[in-house]
Amino acid sequence: MTLSDKLLAPQSTDVLAPEWIRRAPKVLLHDHLDGGLRPETIIELAGALGYRALPSTDPAELAAWFRDAADSGSLERYLETFAHTCAVMQTAEALYRIAAECAEDLAADGVVYAEVRYAPEQHLTGGLTLDEVVEAVNAGFREGERRAAATGRRIRVGTLLCAMRHAERAREIAELAVAHRDRGVAGFDIAGGEIGNPAARHADAFDYLRSQGARVTIHAGEAVGAESIREAVLRCGAHRIGHGVRITDDIAVDADGNVTLGRLASYVRDQRIALEVCPTSNLQTGAATSYPEHPIDLLRRLGFRVCLNTDNRLVSGTTMTREFQHLQRTFGYRAAELEEFTLNAAKAAFLPFDERTALINEVIRPGYAKLRAAELSRVPVGESAAAPAA
């Protein structure tokens, strides 16, 4: 067996129960607020606003339409999904509700810490200011945290403020992120189509963020190759990379199975720059062709700090539980791999060091220990081995 064969070989064919996976404490770093609304909420808000462009007013049919659009292979249909969600996210009340429901839904899926991102500049048509958008979303997340706690599920949510690559407001959004970083904003991101919109075009924003000691993640290495990651890391100072799967462009495997990392891949791995990988979304956007051919397992085995993420829960029809189930079926993953992804994400979270340490030592490790004990003793996890509170 060559080295590449060993790197790709699944470790087990056993299957973890879906409820075990759902109960496992998880950390989510790449999830878009406007890609994860409840279908019922979209329909109710659209009705209140008089928005009549929805493809269906039946929740099940609308959810199916979103997933079909994402799976269609048509960029136009994929982007249309966000036109519908953003249309109903233009008031403080709507943003508050959507953020609160997001926190509740993530907590129900076992997420104990999340960083949810959105672009404030896309929520101004109803007359809100940028500050009002941020305040409404942050207030909604605090309410969602309270609701989750009332049901015995604890979660903490930070936000990432996105600037759009094709627009001209990156410096303004960077300043907004810094202004609100002690009030729920964890960091800054730049999103939107990579092709023709290099991140370095907004160098002034990144220079400002660096001068303020702010935390930065950048969408890169999804639609564009390794040069996009190089720019994000070396010019723009990204601490994490959104998607980043095209780092494989800088990894070579020869005929004998010998693996060689290029300078960029080595730098990303050695500096522990986390890759926020979103498998289902990557398949939908063409960054990968199938779960078996997705590079997440190769990158994990090579020692990259790989994190598992959802990207857009409604649009992709996914959850953290479903994402791991896909990888379990494909690569034979079990509890050790899910815990590894979770620890990677916790270590890369935009939290102070002592809070990251507490998250790992007081929530994640004990949670997995209890679940493994329950699995071995075959005690139903719902009775005595629920994940501990965050």
Side-chain angles (χ1 to χ4, degrees):
M1 178 180 286
T2 67
L3 175 57
S4 59
D5 290 333
K6 292 178 181 178
L7 288 168
L8 291 170
Q11 295 181 356
S12 171
T13 57
D14 294 338
V15 176
L16 296 174
E19 181 65 8
W20 194 105
I21 300 172
R22 188 186 69 81
R23 291 275 186 173
K26 307 173 195 70
V27 174
L28 173 59
L29 300 181
H30 194 119
D31 187 76
H32 289 264
L33 185 62
D34 56 344
L37 283 67
R38 296 175 181 174
E40 299 86 352
T41 298
I42 298 173
I43 293 166
E44 290 177 19
L45 292 175
L49 292 170
Y51 180 74
R52 296 182 174 83
L54 292 181
S56 175
T57 55
D58 176 85
E61 290 180 359
L62 184 60
W65 179 88
F66 274 97
R67 182 60 193 261
D68 289 344
D71 287 338
S72 68
S74 166
L75 180 60
E76 290 76 15
R77 283 197 67 195
Y78 188 88
L79 294 177
E80 185 185 349
T81 63
F82 297 97
H84 293 308
T85 57
C86 285
V88 302
M89 299 174 70
Q90 301 302 325
T91 67
E93 294 77 13
L95 290 168
Y96 178 92
R97 173 180 176 177
I98 289 162
E101 292 176 349
C102 174
E104 288 183 286
D105 293 344
L106 292 178
D109 192 36
V111 177
V112 294
Y113 177 76
E115 291 176 5
V116 180
R117 63 191 72 195
Y118 66 98
E121 62 195 89
Q122 294 186 319
H123 306 290
L124 305 178
T125 61
L128 294 175
T129 65
L130 290 171
D131 286 297
E132 288 171 338
V133 169
V134 174
E135 290 164 2
V137 172
N138 284 341
F141 279 130
R142 301 295 81 77
E143 173 62 18
E145 291 169 350
R146 287 190 289 271
R147 293 179 193 172
T151 66
R153 301 183 179 100
R154 299 299 180 93
I155 184 172
R156 178 175 175 181
V157 182
T159 60
L160 300 172
L161 301 190
C162 296
M164 302 308 294
R165 306 176 91 108
H166 62 276
E168 303 297 334
R169 307 188 74 160
R171 173 62 185 256
E172 187 178 10
I173 302 303
E175 293 176 354
L176 186 71
V178 169
H180 289 269
R181 64 177 165 183
D182 295 325
R183 299 191 295 275
V185 174
F188 175 88
D189 176 34
I190 195 158
E194 286 183 81
I195 299 174
N197 297 296
R201 176 170 167 261
H202 306 285
D204 177 56
F206 293 111
D207 290 343
Y208 169 76
L209 290 160
R210 187 180 295 109
S211 75
Q212 297 299 310
R215 305 305 297 272
V216 174
T217 180
I218 297 176
H219 279 73
E222 182 185 20
V224 177
E227 65 271 20
S228 172
I229 300 172
R230 179 179 290 106
E231 177 186 65
V233 172
L234 300 181
R235 173 60 187 92
C236 302
H239 302 99
R240 300 194 317 240
I241 297 295
H243 300 291
V245 290
R246 294 290 297 276
I247 193 70
T248 54
D249 291 356
D250 199 43
I251 300 173
V253 182
D254 67 20
D256 296 322
N258 300 305
V259 179
T260 303
L261 272 61
R263 292 189 183 279
L264 174 65
S266 294
Y267 182 86
V268 168
R269 185 179 68 171
D270 296 348
Q271 294 298 312
R272 314 311 293 146
I273 296 171
L275 303 177
E276 305 163 355
V277 179
C278 311
T280 298
S281 174
N282 295 157
L283 268 59
Q284 292 169 330
T285 61
T289 57
S290 68
Y291 290 112
E293 295 181 7
H294 195 286
I296 188 170
D297 190 60
L298 175 63
L299 294 171
R300 183 189 71 81
R301 291 173 184 267
L302 286 173
F304 286 84
R305 180 164 284 173
V306 181
C307 311
L308 183 64
N309 300 275
T310 53
D311 202 11
N312 298 289
R313 287 169 290 112
L314 169 64
V315 177
S316 292
T318 195
T319 62
M320 285 290 281
T321 295
R322 290 174 186 165
E323 289 298 317
F324 188 75
Q325 285 179 300
H326 290 309
L327 301 184
Q328 177 182 246
R329 287 191 292 266
T330 303
F331 301 114
Y333 288 169
R334 289 188 56 76
E337 289 78 20
L338 180 53
E339 184 175 13
E340 179 183 346
F341 286 129
T342 303
L343 289 171
N344 281 345
K347 291 173 183 177
F350 291 165
L351 284 170
F353 174 76
D354 57 342
E355 295 178 28
R356 293 200 309 272
T357 301
L359 178 64
I360 291 169
N361 294 334
E362 299 174 18
V363 180
I364 295 170
R365 293 192 189 280
Y368 280 92
K370 286 187 176 182
L371 286 166
R372 279 194 295 269
E375 183 187 29
L376 289 172
S377 63
R378 301 190 179 185
V379 175
V381 294
E383 293 181 12
S384 63

